Amino acid sequence: QVQLVESGGGLVQAGGSLRLSCAASGRTFSLYTMGWFRQAPGKEREFVAAISWSSENTHYADSVKGRVTISRDNAKNTVYLQMNSLKPEDTAVYYCAAQKYGLTWYLYNNWGQGTQVTVSS
């Protein structure tokens, strides 16, 4: 198991940027596929982006493609989500997720507590 702690959320105006961070515990972070999900009020949790253990492969939801970049630093046990050109519809709680030896972008068994992102119009 790995413990995940997100940070970097906050209030930003439409068109602005935020960088979310997710710090992971443990010594095997480099073996985990990492993902970001979000959940807006009254909606189901949805996939945002994911990155393979080596950073060689990434995957994005169509709704954020071109505006969001996922990256990781295995030496720091941290995954990042750089979000640009933010829109009010990006308002949600953002969750970091991890899956050891993950073979799919969408299934994870380790989750953080989430960080709130609010985009004002």
Side-chain angles (χ1 to χ4, degrees):
Q1 291 282 17
V2 62
Q3 293 185 330
L4 306 170
V5 179
E6 302 97 334
S7 62
L11 174 64
V12 64
Q13 289 188 335
S17 299
L18 278 176
R19 188 176 82 153
L20 306 183
S21 299
C22 172
S25 65
R27 299 186 219 176
T28 59
F29 176 74
S30 61
L31 300 179
Y32 285 79
T33 296
M34 301 298 296
W36 285 95
F37 289 72
R38 66 186 182 186
Q39 186 166 20
K43 295 188 177 181
E44 293 186 354
R45 188 176 297 185
E46 65 174 0
F47 171 80
V48 176
I51 188 167
S52 62
W53 65 272
S54 66
S55 303
E56 184 174 349
N57 297 301
T58 57
H59 182 59
Y60 297 92
D62 288 342
S63 58
V64 303
K65 201 171 292 184
R67 301 188 296 119
V68 164
T69 302
I70 188 170
S71 61
R72 67 190 295 164
D73 186 338
N74 286 345
K76 295 183 178 180
N77 279 19
T78 302
V79 63
Y80 304 97
L81 189 70
Q82 177 67 46
M83 301 189 294
N84 301 322
S85 302
L86 283 163
K87 306 175 181 179
E89 51 264 43
D90 294 318
T91 295
V93 177
Y94 283 71
Y95 297 91
C96 176
Q99 179 65 43
K100 197 171 186 180
Y101 306 122
L103 299 178
T104 171
W105 297 122
Y106 306 110
L107 297 178
Y108 299 83
N109 61 1
N110 298 279
W111 293 86
Q113 294 301 305
T115 185
Q116 176 70 46
V117 171
T118 302
V119 184
S120 63
S121 57

